[in-house]
Amino acid sequence: MRIISIICYLLLALTSAVNAQYYTSGADPASLRWKKIETENFKVVFPQDYEEKAQHLVKLLEEVYKYGTYSLAHQPKKISVLVHPETTYSNGFVTWAPKRIELYPTPNQSMHAQEWLQQLAIHEFRHVVQIDKLNNGFTKILSYILGEQAVGAVLGLYVPMWFLEGDAVTTETALTQSGRGRSPWFEQGMRAQILEKGIYSYDKAYFGSYKDYVPNYYEMGYQLVAGARAKYGTDIWEQALYNTGRNSWAINAFNKGQKSVSGLNKIQLYYEIFAGLHNDWVKQDDKGAKTGYTALTSKDEDYSNYCYPVLTEDGKILAQLSGPGDVDQFVEVKDDGSHQALFVPGTRSDEPFSYANGIICWAERESDLRWDNRAYSVIKCYDIKSRKKKKVTHKSRYFSPALSPQGNQIAAVYADKKNTYALVILDRHSGEELQRYVYGNDDYLFTPCWNTEGDKIVCISLSESGKEIVILDRASGQWTSIMGPTYDDISLAKWGKDGEIYFTAGYGGTSEIYCIDEQSRQVRQLTQSKYGATGAVYDDEAAALIYSNYTADGYQLVKAGRDQLKDIPVEEVEDASVKLYEKIARQEEGELNFSNIDEVEDYSVKKYSKWNLFNFHSWAPAFVNINDESVNTGVSALSQNLLGTAVSSVGYNADPQYSDEKYYFNFQYQGWFPVFELDVKYGDEDVNYDGYYSSNSEIFSLYCDTKQYQSDIEAGFYLPLSLTRGKYYNYLKPAVDFNLYHLTGYDIEKENYESIQNVLIPTGESSVISVDDYTYASVEYSLYYYHLMRTSERDVTYRWGQLMQVLYQSTPFGTLDIGAISGLWARLYFPGLMKHHSLRIDNEYQYKWDGEEYESSEENDVEMNYRFGNYFDFARGYSNYSNDRLYSLKTDYIFPLWNPDFSVPGLMYLKRITTNLFFDYTKSWEDFTFKSSGQTITESNDYKSFGAEFRAEVNVLRFLFPLEVGYRYSRLIDLNQNSHEFLLSLSISGFSVGNK
C-alpha cells in the first residue's frame, strides 16, 4: 500500500508541476539596474534607487529571523528576496519552485498600526519557516529526486491554506504590539457568522461559497491556529508540519501530526475551537448596552457592504457599494433603503473616496503598458451632473485623495519608490502639485480630511511607535499631534462639528466610532455596536452620525442621533475582547523590537546582473513538458531566474513513441519590451526497408537500415500590452511566430529481379532511391485584443465585453509550400436576463489558400493539394472536416444553476453548478478541381447543433484548487444524432502564499 501511495504521489507531484507552470509575477522595467545584499540568511535583490531602504529591509529580516522561528522550532536555510518598488500594489508572497520571497514595499491605506516593511518581513518570513520545515524525512528524499518542486508539491497537496496564512497572522500578532489578530475588524466577520448563522461545515469554511458570505482563510485561519495554540501549545502546529514533511507519502500526515498533540482530527479541532469562541463571543456580546440607530440601507442576504458614506450639499448620501455579488461602485442611497448606481471605478485599494460640489474624487490603480511589476495610483474625478470623468494625475503615486470644501484642491497621500512619504496639495483641474508637507521622521499618512473652512487637514500618521491623529495648519504649514501614538488600530479620521474629529478605533473589543476634541483632546466613545462600526460622517442638519454598521450580511448604513449615542470617556471603556493574542504572545521567545536596527552597520552592496538567466530549481526522472502539459518516461529539468524574466525547461523523452522528439528545450525571456519564446525539439526515427515488392512492370527489392533525423524549431516575439483603464480590462497582443521543421533525407538500395518459374533471379540492375531532405517553414502573424468589463465573484463569466483575434499563417520558405490560412474570431458578451447571467456570441471565419499539389494515383482525377488544418472547430458535437472556407456562429446562454455547498466529508465539496445552453451553426465550403477538364466545383455543407452543458465546481480530497467536471449534450440536427461528452478541467496558476 505504501509503494502505491509513493507512486501516486510522484505522479501527482509531476502533474501539479505541469499545470502550475511555476508561478512568475511578471517582469520589472528593463531599464532598472539591480543590486544585491547578501547576509547569512538572505540574499536581497533590489533596484539601484532602492538601496537606502534595502539596507533597512535587510536589517528587519535579520531581526525577524531571531524570533520568527521559535514556535515552529525550525531555522530555515538562506533564501532570496526580490523587491518590486516600481508598483503601487501592496503585498508580498513566498513560493517554492523556485523558492523565493517577493515583496511589494509600497504601503497601503488600510494597514494596522505597524510599518509596512515590518509587516511584510514578519509575515513572509514566517511562510519561509513553514515551508522549509517540510523539507525533512520522505520529502527531503523526494527533493533529491525532484528538486524544489517536491516541497512545493507537498505544500500544495497537504498543508491547508488556512494554516499557512493563519499561522503567519498569528506570528505577526504574537511577536509585536500590533498585528491583525489584535484588531477587532479582523475578527468581526467570523464573529457575526458564528453568532448569527452558526458554524459552517469545515469544507464550506475552507473553500468558500457562492451562496453565503464566508470569511477568508486569513480570518478563519487566525482564529483556528491561534485558538489551537492557546489550548494545546505550539507543539500542535510544529508537529503537524514536521509529520507532513517526514511522512508525506501518507495523505493524512498533517492531520495526524496535529492529532498527536490535540487528540482530535482537524475537523473535530475546527468545531472545538469555534464552539469555544462562540461561547466567548456570546459573553463578550452580553457586556454593555448597544447604541440605537435607524437603518438607512436594507440588509441584503446576498451580503453587501455600504462603506465610506459622504453627504452632498442637498442632504443626499453617497457610499461605496461592494460585495461578492457586486462590482465595486459608487452609489446614491435612496430614502427607501435602495440605491442608485452612479459610477463604476477601476481597481481600487481599500480606501475612502471624497465628495465636494457635485464631484466624486478617488484613486485607482493603473497598470503599466508593458511591465507587470510597475503600476501607478492615479486620481480621477467624476461630475455627477454632467456624467463626465476626468483623470487628474497621470503615472502618479497618490492615495486617498480628499477634495477641499470648495472642490478646487485635492489633498492626497504620496508614497514614492524609495518609501518616502508626504501629504501633497494638488490643483484639481491640472493635477499640478501646489504644496508638499512631511510629518515627523518621514511618517506614513492615512486618509486626509479637510475641515469646513478649508484651513486645516486631519490625518492619521504611522511611525515605529504606532498611529496618531495629526492636524496640518495650512496657513503656517505646522503639524500638531492631538492623540497618540498608539498601537491600537485607529482609522478614518474626519472632521465633525465644533472642532470634533470622529475616528474608528477598537479600544473595547469591537471597532467603534470615537470622538476627540481638537482643543481639549478628550476622547469619548460614541457607538457600541454588536460587531463593529466604522467610517462616520456628521450630518449637521439632522444632528446625527451616519456610519457603516457591520452585520452578518455586510456593512449597513445607519444613522444615530445624539440622544442615541454614548458619551463615555475612553478611560472608562471596558475591553471585553477575547484576548487570544495574550496567550500566544506568552508562547514566543520574546517580542520584536525594531527601534535600534538602523544603528547596525550597513551591509556591503554589490551589483546584480539581470543576465543571470538560468536557475535550475527542479528536475525529475520523467520527461515533463510544461507547454504541452504532458508527462512521459525520461528526465527533465526546469529553470526560472530570480527576476522572473527567463523561464526554461530541458528534457529527454525516453518514450519510443516520441523518438522523433527525444530532446526538448524551451526558453522564454520577458526582460525586453517584446517577449521572446523559443521551443526546440530534436529526435530521430528508424527507417527500415528489407523486402521484395512488385509493380505492373517490375519486381524489385528495397533495403535501408538507417535513421532519419528531425528538428523542429519554433521561435516568436509578442507584445503583452496592458491597456486596462477604469472598469474595463483591456489587453492587446501582437505576435509573430516562426516555425522551421526539418527532416533529413536518406538512400534506399533498389535491386531488380525477374521471376523465372516462380524463382526470383537478380537482373544485375541496381539503383539508389534518394529521399530528399524535407524542410517546412511557416510564419504566423496574429493580433489579439479584448475589452472586458470587470466581474463580481458570483458572475459565471463576463457580462459585457468584446474579444477579437486576427490570424494569418503561410509557408514562404522551405522545400514544401502548403499554402496559407487566415482567420478572424470575435466574441461578444451581453448581460443576461437576470443577475450573473450572460449571453456569449462567437463568430469565426477562416480562409485557406492551397499549397503545392502532392502525388496521387492516376485513377484520381481531382487535384490534391497541401493545406493547413483548421483554426476553428465545427459546431459542437461534430468532428472537424476538410474545407477551404469555414464560418461558425456559436451562441451560449450561461448562468449559475445551483449553489449547493454540498459536502461528502473528506471526499468532495460541491460548490456550484453552472449551465450553458447553446446553439451552433457552421457552414463550410470545399473546392474540387478536376485535372482532366480544369473545371472547379464547390461543395458546401451546413452543420447545426444545440444542447446544454452542465459544469460542477468541485474540490476533491480537500485539494485547494477546484476541478471543473461537466457533461455536454449535443443534438446534431443535420445528422439526426445525439452526442455526449465528458468535460474536465483543472485551473492552477502557480502556488504561493502571501500577505493579503
Side-chain angles (χ1 to χ4, degrees):
M1 183 66 186
R2 178 174 296 191
I3 297 297
I4 294 174
S5 296
I6 292 172
I7 293 172
C8 291
Y9 168 79
L10 286 169
L11 291 174
L12 278 170
L14 291 172
T15 304
S16 297
V18 170
N19 284 287
Q21 296 188 32
Y22 301 100
Y23 179 71
T24 172
S25 64
D28 294 82
S31 60
L32 293 182
R33 295 182 179 180
W34 295 88
K35 291 194 172 183
K36 68 176 180 179
I37 295 174
E38 291 206 54
T39 69
E40 180 183 357
N41 301 305
F42 302 95
K43 179 175 76 174
V44 180
V45 176
F46 51 90
Q48 178 175 279
D49 291 345
Y50 197 72
E51 181 175 332
E52 181 179 349
K53 211 64 179 182
Q55 288 283 359
H56 178 73
L57 173 61
V58 172
K59 295 168 186 177
L60 287 175
L61 288 166
E62 285 293 340
E63 187 69 18
V64 170
Y65 194 98
K66 299 174 185 176
Y67 295 91
T69 64
Y70 180 74
S71 56
L72 284 180
H74 180 73
Q75 292 186 321
K77 294 180 180 178
K78 186 174 181 176
I79 191 169
S80 297
V81 182
L82 180 62
V83 186
H84 303 288
E86 291 282 322
T87 182
T88 55
Y89 175 60
S90 299
N91 207 347
F93 69 83
V94 176
T95 193
W96 218 254
K99 69 173 186 178
R100 65 199 187 277
I101 303 173
E102 294 195 31
L103 301 179
Y104 302 84
T106 301
N108 59 76
Q109 290 284 291
S110 57
M111 295 188 301
H112 48 275
Q114 186 172 42
E115 290 185 326
W116 180 238
L117 288 180
Q118 295 178 12
Q119 289 185 44
L120 283 177
I122 299 168
H123 190 101
E124 303 310 332
F125 177 71
R126 184 61 169 199
H127 286 317
V128 175
V129 179
Q130 297 162 351
I131 303 172
D132 195 76
K133 189 176 177 69
L134 294 172
N135 195 21
N136 77 89
F138 184 65
T139 304
K140 192 172 186 67
I141 295 172
L142 283 178
S143 68
Y144 293 126
I145 301 170
L146 301 175
E148 292 175 2
Q149 66 180 339
V151 175
V154 170
L155 175 72
L157 289 171
Y158 299 141
V159 184
M161 283 295 290
W162 58 257
F163 167 75
L164 294 169
E165 299 301 355
D167 177 67
V169 173
T170 297
T171 302
E172 74 186 41
T173 302
L175 291 180
T176 70
Q177 297 182 51
S178 185
R180 278 170 279 190
R182 299 173 187 258
S183 298
W185 61 264
F186 188 68
E187 73 172 28
Q188 67 186 15
M190 290 302 308
R191 287 182 60 233
Q193 177 218 296
I194 299 295
L195 295 183
E196 291 195 20
K197 300 181 182 290
I199 302 175
Y200 289 151
S201 72
Y202 172 84
D203 288 338
K204 184 170 181 174
Y206 184 25
F207 298 116
S209 168
Y210 292 108
K211 180 171 61 177
D212 300 305
Y213 172 73
V214 177
N216 62 40
Y217 40 71
Y218 289 82
E219 299 166 71
M220 175 264 211
Y222 167 72
Q223 302 297 337
L224 182 50
V225 171
R229 263 185 58 169
K231 186 165 186 176
Y232 297 106
T234 59
D235 284 352
I236 184 171
W237 303 123
E238 188 274 330
Q239 282 298 307
L241 284 179
Y242 176 75
N243 195 62
T244 302
R246 186 174 183 80
N247 303 305
S248 52
W249 50 267
I251 61 174
N252 65 341
F254 184 85
N255 186 38
K256 190 174 181 180
Q258 69 81 25
K259 188 177 181 179
S260 67
V261 177
S262 69
L264 305 172
N265 65 40
K266 64 184 175 186
I267 310 302
Q268 294 169 330
L269 180 68
Y270 164 76
Y271 282 110
E272 180 190 61
I273 296 302
F274 280 103
L277 285 169
H278 173 272
N279 295 334
D280 292 337
W281 285 334
V282 167
K283 294 176 184 176
Q284 177 183 353
D285 188 53
D286 288 340
K287 294 181 179 180
K290 308 299 186 288
T291 49
Y293 57 78
T294 301
L296 300 176
T297 57
S298 305
K299 287 184 68 174
D300 186 349
E301 293 185 0
D302 287 336
Y303 194 90
S304 294
N305 290 313
Y306 292 88
C307 295
Y308 309 126
V310 297
L311 289 170
T312 67
E313 296 82 0
D314 51 3
K316 295 177 181 178
I317 301 172
L318 310 183
Q320 177 178 288
L321 171 64
S322 62
D326 297 288
V327 178
D328 294 2
Q329 56 196 281
F330 302 131
V331 300
E332 177 187 328
V333 177
K334 299 295 186 180
D335 292 338
D336 61 359
S338 63
H339 69 267
Q340 176 185 341
L342 296 177
F343 185 76
V344 178
T347 303
R348 281 174 37 77
S349 299
D350 186 8
E351 61 184 46
F353 69 100
S354 69
Y355 169 88
N357 286 343
I359 303 296
I360 296 174
C361 183
W362 71 95
E364 67 181 50
R365 190 180 305 129
E366 277 193 358
S367 57
D368 184 80
L369 176 67
R370 165 62 180 90
W371 306 110
D372 303 279
N373 289 321
R374 174 187 277 168
Y376 308 98
S377 182
V378 300
I379 296 176
K380 295 184 177 181
C381 289
Y382 177 75
D383 190 308
I384 297 175
K385 290 184 179 179
S386 68
R387 298 185 179 180
K388 290 183 178 180
K389 179 187 71 175
K390 180 182 179 182
K391 184 192 291 190
V392 179
T393 65
H394 302 264
K395 295 186 176 182
S396 58
R397 298 172 64 93
Y398 298 126
F399 306 88
S400 285
L403 285 167
S404 62
Q406 297 76 27
N408 60 337
Q409 293 183 345
I410 298 172
V413 175
Y414 170 76
D416 72 7
K417 302 171 188 177
K418 301 178 183 180
N419 285 113
T420 58
Y421 317 117
L423 178 71
V424 297
I425 308 299
L426 308 171
D427 182 275
R428 181 177 72 82
H429 302 285
S430 66
E432 178 187 357
E433 185 176 314
L434 304 176
Q435 288 97 27
R436 175 175 295 208
Y437 306 93
V438 176
Y439 178 72
N441 185 24
D442 195 30
D443 294 353
Y444 187 66
L445 299 168
F446 298 82
T447 60
C449 177
W450 303 73
N451 64 354
T452 305
E453 296 74 24
D455 59 354
K456 293 181 181 179
I457 299 173
V458 64
C459 299
I460 290 174
S461 72
L462 173 63
S463 67
E464 287 186 359
S465 302
K467 287 185 174 181
E468 55 186 319
I469 297 178
V470 296
I471 295 174
L472 171 69
D473 184 282
R474 287 292 313 283
S476 65
Q478 298 299 309
W479 292 92
T480 302
S481 174
I482 63 169
M483 191 193 83
T486 175
Y487 289 111
D488 289 299
D489 193 11
I490 59 176
S491 61
L492 300 175
K494 279 203 169 187
W495 290 96
K497 68 179 187 69
D498 302 329
E500 289 182 329
I501 296 170
Y502 303 109
F503 63 98
T504 303
Y507 300 123
T510 54
S511 293
E512 303 296 344
I513 308 301
Y514 288 81
C515 172
I516 183 171
D517 184 271
E518 180 188 5
Q519 299 301 322
S520 68
R521 302 185 183 180
Q522 294 180 341
V523 179
R524 306 188 306 279
Q525 181 184 5
L526 300 182
T527 67
Q528 180 58 63
S529 62
K530 189 174 181 65
Y531 303 115
T534 187
V537 61
Y538 187 72
D539 184 349
D540 282 310
E541 186 175 340
L545 277 185
I546 296 172
Y547 59 93
S548 298
N549 181 63
Y550 192 78
T551 74
D553 295 311
Y555 276 111
Q556 183 181 26
L557 283 188
V558 300
K559 178 168 66 176
R562 275 291 182 181
D563 57 336
Q564 296 174 294
L565 296 172
K566 289 180 175 288
D567 190 10
I568 301 174
V570 69
E571 296 80 10
E572 298 177 16
V573 174
E574 178 187 1
D575 184 359
S577 63
V578 178
K579 300 177 180 61
L580 276 178
Y581 56 84
E582 291 183 347
K583 298 176 182 177
I584 60 176
R586 288 195 293 267
Q587 297 170 343
E588 297 291 346
E589 191 173 26
E591 182 180 298
L592 281 165
N593 184 355
F594 298 114
S595 59
N596 298 318
I597 63 167
D598 286 329
E599 297 177 7
V600 175
E601 184 179 352
D602 284 352
Y603 295 94
S604 63
V605 179
K606 296 181 180 179
K607 291 182 179 180
Y608 184 82
S609 173
K610 62 183 177 182
W611 298 111
N612 288 311
L613 299 182
F614 296 101
N615 168 36
F616 284 95
H617 55 81
S618 297
W619 45 87
F623 177 74
V624 180
N625 187 324
I626 291 180
N627 288 345
D628 296 342
E629 297 189 2
S630 60
V631 179
N632 297 97
T633 56
V635 293
S636 58
L638 300 108
S639 167
Q640 179 177 314
N641 69 341
L642 178 59
L643 297 182
T645 53
V647 179
S648 55
S649 59
V650 61
Y652 169 73
N653 192 339
D655 190 333
Q657 298 182 74
Y658 296 92
S659 64
D660 57 348
E661 297 179 359
K662 282 182 183 177
Y663 305 99
Y664 172 80
F665 175 70
N666 173 264
F667 178 75
Q668 182 192 77
Y669 184 70
Q670 54 177 328
W672 296 325
F673 199 74
V675 176
F676 171 69
E677 288 186 322
L678 176 67
D679 201 60
V680 180
K681 298 174 184 176
Y682 180 79
D684 58 59
E685 283 189 314
D686 291 332
V687 180
N688 292 296
Y689 290 92
D690 191 7
Y692 296 91
Y693 306 88
S694 65
S695 66
N696 293 334
S697 59
E698 61 179 344
I699 301 171
F700 56 92
S701 69
L702 298 177
Y703 176 79
C704 178
D705 184 9
T706 187
K707 289 183 180 293
Q708 187 176 30
Y709 296 94
Q710 172 184 302
S711 55
D712 188 1
I713 302 174
E714 297 181 29
F717 290 91
Y718 68 88
L719 276 175
L721 302 177
S722 175
L723 307 173
T724 296
R725 299 293 182 267
K727 64 180 179 180
Y728 291 102
Y729 299 117
N730 292 279
Y731 179 79
L732 180 66
K733 179 186 174 183
V736 178
D737 293 286
F738 175 76
N739 178 222
L740 177 64
Y741 177 84
H742 180 72
L743 203 60
T744 60
Y746 54 90
D747 292 337
I748 305 172
E749 297 177 10
K750 178 183 178 182
E751 187 170 358
N752 290 346
Y753 292 82
E754 60 181 351
S755 178
I756 301 176
Q757 296 180 351
N758 293 324
V759 177
L760 295 177
I761 305 298
T763 65
E765 296 178 356
S766 63
S767 61
V768 174
I769 302 173
S770 294
V771 177
D772 294 333
D773 286 5
Y774 166 93
T775 303
Y776 158 81
S778 71
V779 180
E780 182 179 58
Y781 307 91
S782 64
L783 181 67
Y784 175 66
Y785 172 75
Y786 63 69
H787 173 75
L788 299 166
M789 190 166 71
R790 291 164 55 213
T791 60
S792 74
E793 181 184 331
R794 289 179 177 148
D795 290 329
V796 181
T797 188
Y798 298 99
R799 302 187 72 233
W800 177 262
Q802 304 82 38
L803 300 90
M804 181 194 74
Q805 188 170 27
V806 181
L807 305 120
Y808 176 76
Q809 188 174 7
S810 65
T811 52
F813 313 107
T815 60
L816 179 66
D817 176 14
I818 65 170
I821 182 174
S822 63
L824 176 63
W825 170 76
R827 170 171 289 178
L828 306 175
Y829 286 100
F830 300 95
L833 299 175
M834 299 177 65
K835 197 173 184 181
H836 312 308
H837 288 217
S838 299
L839 173 64
R840 184 176 69 200
I841 301 174
D842 283 10
N843 283 277
E844 302 166 344
Y845 180 76
Q846 67 183 29
Y847 187 97
K848 300 177 184 177
W849 290 266
D850 286 342
E852 63 188 59
E853 185 178 0
Y854 62 84
E855 294 182 6
S856 58
S857 64
E858 296 178 0
E859 293 81 5
N860 188 356
D861 189 37
V862 177
E863 287 186 7
M864 307 296 289
N865 298 85
Y866 290 101
R867 61 186 171 192
F868 280 97
N870 293 323
Y871 271 141
F872 308 116
D873 293 329
F874 279 58
R876 271 166 280 198
Y878 291 93
S879 300
N880 285 346
Y881 303 101
S882 62
N883 63 88
D884 290 295
R885 294 173 299 284
L886 175 75
Y887 169 73
S888 284
L889 170 69
K890 297 173 182 175
T891 60
D892 299 82
Y893 190 82
I894 307 166
F895 59 96
L897 180 66
W898 188 28
N899 301 320
D901 294 347
F902 173 72
S903 176
V904 179
L907 294 178
M908 56 85 73
Y909 174 64
L910 177 57
K911 192 173 179 180
R912 177 164 73 174
I913 297 176
T914 62
T915 303
N916 182 9
L917 306 177
F918 68 84
F919 171 78
D920 290 359
Y921 168 72
T922 297
K923 188 175 186 67
S924 70
W925 297 266
E926 187 166 17
D927 300 327
F928 297 93
T929 301
F930 297 94
K931 292 185 283 188
S932 58
S933 64
Q935 180 185 5
T936 299
I937 65 171
T938 299
E939 180 182 294
S940 64
N941 291 285
D942 293 336
Y943 306 88
K944 297 182 287 295
S945 66
F946 68 87
E949 297 175 358
F950 300 91
R951 299 174 188 265
E953 186 178 319
V954 186
N955 291 89
V956 179
L957 299 177
R958 297 201 168 109
F959 185 50
L960 177 64
F961 301 101
L963 279 171
E964 193 173 80
V965 183
Y967 162 74
R968 177 190 293 155
Y969 164 76
S970 305
R971 177 63 179 173
L972 281 57
I973 299 173
D974 302 278
L975 298 180
N976 195 27
Q977 294 178 357
N978 297 323
S979 172
H980 306 274
E981 296 175 76
F982 176 68
L983 310 173
L984 179 67
S985 65
L986 172 65
S987 176
I988 302 179
S989 57
F991 186 82
S992 62
V993 285
N995 189 60
K996 296 180 84 173

